Amino acid sequence: MSAVEMGARQREISVSEFFTKNRHLLGFDNPRKALLTCVKEAVDNALDAAEEAGILPDVLVNVEVAAANGAPPPASQATRFRVTVIDNGPGIVRQQIPPIFAKLLYGSKFHRLRMSRGQQGIGISAAGMYAQLTTGKPVQITSRTGARAAAHYFEVQIDTKKNEPRIFENKKINWEHQRGTQVALEIDGRYQKGRASVDEYLEQVAIANPHVQLVYRTPEGETREYPRTIQELPPQPKEIKPHPYGIEFGILLRMLHDTKSHTLAGFLAAEFSRVSSAVSQEICGTAKLSPNAKPRSIHGADAEALYKAIQSTKIMAPPSNCISPIGEKAILHGLYKQIKGDFYTAVTRPPAVYRGNPFIIEAGLAFGGGPDQAARTAE
Amino acid sequence: MSAVEMGARQREISVSEFFTKNRHLLGFDNPRKALLTCVKEAVDNALDAAEEAGILPDVLVNVEVAAANGAPPPASQATRFRVTVIDNGPGIVRQQIPPIFAKLLYGSKFHRLRMSRGQQGIGISAAGMYAQLTTGKPVQITSRTGARAAAHYFEVQIDTKKNEPRIFENKKINWEHQRGTQVALEIDGRYQKGRASVDEYLEQVAIANPHVQLVYRTPEGETREYPRTIQELPPQPKEIKPHPYGIEFGILLRMLHDTKSHTLAGFLAAEFSRVSSAVSQEICGTAKLSPNAKPRSIHGADAEALYKAIQSTKIMAPPSNCISPIGEKAILHGLYKQIKGDFYTAVTRPPAVYRGNPFIIEAGLAFGGGPDQAARTAE
């Protein structure tokens, strides 16, 4: 084959086609993990949305055995499940429903520097793509933004060749809930208990989020209620600018190129966290660059000098209000509620910084077990 | 924040931005692995291109220490490298050079079912993106499609917001080689020996590809020559259709939707491997569907019946000429050349099938070591 023939075969590959082939990268390695991933993506979205809107989250998770045809098998034997997650969050405006649920790499959380469960704009659409691949069923969404608004019902799939939503159904419906979102997926899966199971994951969600009221209907028909034990939301994390210590050279170059600032000193002070006017001048001095230089004109050796100057200048650690720790009190609440023990402790460490990104380590421990717990373990 | 405000923040994320953040998914977890990945992506492309064009590959790999400024440090201390790979392949037509090297998910190998080293259309562009991120340097490419054609020189980077190439340089140059491609990348990396090192990888390439002539200039200035020991190319793998046993339900639905065939029986025979007209009729019969049904009209319960009928019909295993085994003789050649031992053996198993995709397991073993080898080990 010649270079010309080979050239003629080159073409774009859609991100949906890529992740259909490489679904293990997104947590759909096998049917057991796929079931967990679907539940997790839907619950993540429910909690993120409610918290961002300042609403104490009420979440219902329903995992049912779905019968391909005939009577459904017992949960431990079943290979097909229907996952439904309902929240009391702010709802989703009608025109955003199809891309949020049926377009990979579409979201609101990717470009901001603050903590949230979801980040990439992939999760729930990937779950829908997995449903489409294994059962051929579209994702069903109902959403309503308030008591005065209509509830909208959608059925969507991804057009994998284009990575765009295909809308099968789009109508107003009557819905019992005044506000919130419901998403339902039918997928090939396996329901198992124990480590990395849906049961364990939801129990951990309840422990780590004592401000959430969670109801879980298991595929075996049991209803588990995890009541809210703290009546207030954790503080809202704030979006921050990147910290100069964490920036990579290529990112600095892109920022210099993209900035709206007219001077180097202005750029540094405006685009980074913890760079005051004085620090900005100091960096320019160390780099032997004019504070009035045009940011776009700085590349090559100048850019490398700037990068080195940044790393060698003393700059305050980034603010940590972009993260929202659970807090020791709330962790203890979660542990008391979920786990019977003789001894409880929890710790929230002070924030630390990696590559300019603040993070916090929190840990909770429950030790021993009441007679009730011992009896449960012995079952 | 309200549903409307949240909706206004939704936006598309480019695949380049996604993989900049998630570069560990592509083998750029750390500087040591990144150096190996860059070499591997370039060598994979060189070998795939030459073999596809029916050319016995000659490949030069040059890994040099790059100095940020001042004298370069010793290789074991260096943090920046320049990787250059030159092949004698068919070259790349001018207009394809920018997207091949500076656009993720662009390639010729994704949509076909046959063996090749590269598949996804990501590797070499991801290496270029990593170079851009860590050193800010563009990828430099020289390519020439034959003695009568001009050699073209490009410098390109990815516009990560759009996942499109940005061309910094594009000119005809004089090039000593009559045909082939040269790619050069400057990256942050670490050079180590031993397991999963560049040295080990290239040695294994030489063993597994005795039809390749490989020259490797190490960052320590040593030149290692791996001469060609077999003067013929392995047989070209053939592209095949998917085998019906391996198809997932969602893919079957998409194929039914996309096919150009007018009848179900025609669709099955035309789009799948090993489905004769008789087998096709049998599948339709088992599924209780008319062989003349329009493929696009088959969905829901009919599609599920079709899917089950396919799985329960006896169909011959797929052809295995889509894979190109090295072969026992060639593996032994590679081992003799590279490894001094007392006992050599190699085996190529018959092809097997997983999810409709044929695969072959091959293994080679060298045991013991001549005095030379023992001396080397003792060093």
Side-chain angles (χ1 to χ4, degrees), chain A residues 177-305:
Chain A
H177 304 282
Q178 292 209 341
R179 194 195 56 224
T181 299
Q182 166 175 332
V183 55
L185 298 155
E186 194 168 324
I187 59 162
D188 275 5
R190 282 274 180 192
Y191 175 66
Q192 287 174 6
K193 312 209 172 187
R195 261 185 74 80
S197 64
V198 173
D199 296 16
E200 187 196 62
Y201 162 69
L202 289 173
E203 189 169 324
Q204 289 175 352
V205 166
I207 293 175
N209 298 278
H211 64 288
V212 171
Q213 169 162 304
L214 178 65
V215 176
Y216 168 36
R217 295 205 197 110
T218 75
E220 292 171 334
E222 198 188 325
T223 297
R224 299 194 191 160
E225 296 193 25
Y226 301 95
R228 180 170 11 254
T229 54
I230 284 199
Q231 302 301 323
E232 60 190 285
L233 284 164
Q236 286 255 9
K238 299 272 184 296
E239 190 171 340
I240 61 167
K241 305 266 181 196
H243 191 274
Y245 283 176
I247 214 77
E248 282 176 291
F249 183 59
I251 304 285
L252 176 65
L253 288 178
R254 195 171 71 196
M255 290 174 72
L256 283 165
H257 186 268
D258 291 352
T259 184
K260 284 172 189 153
S261 299
H262 298 294
T263 67
L264 177 56
F267 160 74
L268 291 168
E271 306 275 350
F272 289 99
S273 175
R274 301 299 201 198
V275 177
S276 64
S277 178
V279 169
S280 172
Q281 295 286 338
E282 188 187 336
I283 292 171
C284 295
T286 309
K288 298 195 170 60
L289 293 168
S290 161
N292 295 319
K294 280 194 185 151
R296 272 191 172 235
S297 71
I298 292 165
H299 37 69
D302 284 351
E304 297 207 19

Side-chain angles (χ1 to χ4, degrees), chain A residues 1-4 6-15 17-23 25-26 49 52-54 68-69 80 90-93 96 100 103 105-112 119-122 132-137 145 160-161 164 166 239 248-251 253-254 257-258 304 308 355, chain B residues 1-4 6-15 17-23 25-26 49 52-54 68-69 80 90-93 96 100 103 105-112 119-122 132-137 145 160-161 164 166 239 248-251 253-254 257-258 304 308 355:
Chain A
M1 201 189 297
S2 73
V4 173
M6 283 187 199
R9 289 178 172 229
Q10 300 284 347
R11 49 161 290 196
E12 284 193 41
I13 298 140
S14 100
V15 66
E17 291 175 311
F18 175 78
F19 280 118
T20 297
K21 249 196 200 175
N22 295 282
R23 68 191 82 153
L25 297 178
L26 302 179
E52 232 169 276
N69 26 31
R80 190 180 273 204
I92 301 168
V93 292
Q96 290 293 343
I100 286 176
K103 180 179 173 74
L105 294 178
Y106 186 85
S108 58
K109 306 171 200 166
F110 186 88
H111 290 280
R112 66 181 189 194
Q119 293 277 353
Q120 318 281 14
I122 282 200
Q132 171 173 349
L133 193 66
T134 56
T135 70
K137 296 281 163 69
T145 59
T160 47
K161 284 200 183 137
E164 290 291 344
R166 280 169 64 195
E239 190 171 340
E248 282 176 291
F249 183 59
I251 304 285
L253 288 178
R254 195 171 71 196
H257 186 268
D258 291 352
E304 297 207 19
K308 285 202 178 142
R355 275 205 181 168
Chain B
M1 201 190 296
S2 72
V4 172
M6 283 188 199
R9 290 178 172 229
Q10 300 284 347
R11 48 162 290 195
E12 284 193 41
I13 298 140
S14 100
V15 66
E17 291 175 311
F18 175 79
F19 280 118
T20 297
K21 250 196 200 176
N22 295 282
R23 69 191 81 152
L25 297 178
L26 303 179
E52 232 170 275
N69 26 31
R80 189 179 273 204
I92 300 168
V93 292
Q96 291 293 343
I100 285 177
K103 180 179 173 73
L105 294 178
Y106 186 85
S108 58
K109 306 171 200 166
F110 186 88
H111 289 279
R112 66 182 189 193
Q119 293 277 353
Q120 318 280 15
I122 282 199
Q132 171 173 349
L133 193 66
T134 56
T135 70
K137 296 282 163 70
T145 58
T160 47
K161 284 201 183 136
E164 290 291 343
R166 281 170 63 195
E239 191 171 340
E248 282 176 291
F249 183 58
I251 304 285
L253 288 178
R254 195 171 71 196
H257 186 268
D258 291 352
E304 298 208 18
K308 284 202 178 143
R355 274 204 181 169

Side-chain angles (χ1 to χ4, degrees), chain B residues 113 122 158 173 182 239 243:
Chain B
L113 291 178
I122 282 199
I158 301 186
I173 60 163
Q182 166 174 330
E239 191 171 340
H243 191 274

